Amino acid sequence: MNSETPTPTPTAPTVLGEFRQLFTSSRRGARLARRVVARRLNAWGIPQGSEAYDNAVLVVAELVTNAAMHGYVHGHSFLLRVVWVTGTVRIEVADACEKRLPKTRRPEPGAESGRGLLIVEALADKWGVEDRPPGKTVWAECAL
């Protein structure tokens, strides 16, 4: 008698929460997006002050600031989407700018800007950029 063990079928992650909203491409819009996500994460039960909460909020802050400051296209807002699936928070920020793709760089020690994607790279488990018409979506995933 030949007995074979069936191969387990991978299960899709369970979506525990999702948030999506357009924000104006401005410093104020970026600040509001960060605050809204901080409240949403807390409402989902991700405790304020935990490493997972702090990392996700900081990644959101960096990505929405980049969209507002570097992805600005007149007349277009940026779209923020946050999805909480089992064990991970995925953050997506879409803007209409097709010409400026994000890339990490090493700023001069005294520079006041240019470290945002280095922070995202350090805090997120993975991140990337996807094309979308018009523009791009920059995403990051943070483990909980």
Side-chain angles (χ1 to χ4, degrees):
M1 176 182 245
N2 187 5
S3 107
E4 292 185 25
T5 307
T7 306
T9 306
T11 57
T14 302
V15 175
L16 302 170
E18 183 172 355
F19 170 79
R20 174 191 304 248
Q21 186 171 331
L22 285 170
F23 292 91
T24 59
S25 291
S26 65
R27 290 181 192 268
R28 184 172 184 258
R31 186 173 56 248
L32 179 59
R34 181 187 57 79
R35 287 182 177 169
V36 167
V37 169
R39 286 188 182 144
R40 182 62 53 140
L41 293 174
N42 198 26
W44 285 343
I46 302 168
Q48 186 174 358
S50 67
E51 183 177 355
Y53 174 94
D54 291 344
N55 287 351
V57 170
L58 190 50
V59 167
V60 166
E62 294 302 334
L63 294 183
V64 298
T65 298
N66 282 352
M69 308 304 356
H70 306 296
Y72 174 78
V73 173
H74 182 73
H76 290 270
S77 299
F78 66 85
L79 174 65
L80 171 63
R81 179 175 179 250
V82 181
V83 181
W84 175 28
V85 296
T86 310
T88 303
V89 171
R90 181 177 172 96
I91 301 146
E92 299 175 357
V93 180
D95 64 52
C97 185
E98 297 171 325
K99 295 179 182 178
R100 298 185 74 176
L101 294 177
K103 59 183 175 185
T104 57
R105 58 188 175 119
R106 304 283 178 213
E108 295 296 319
E112 293 183 13
S113 64
R115 293 174 182 80
L117 288 177
L118 291 174
I119 293 170
V120 170
E121 195 171 77
L123 298 178
D125 294 296
K126 52 187 170 179
W127 75 277
V129 182
E130 297 172 356
D131 289 331
R132 75 183 270 281
K136 65 190 171 296
T137 299
V138 183
W139 59 270
E141 293 182 358
C142 299
L144 298 177

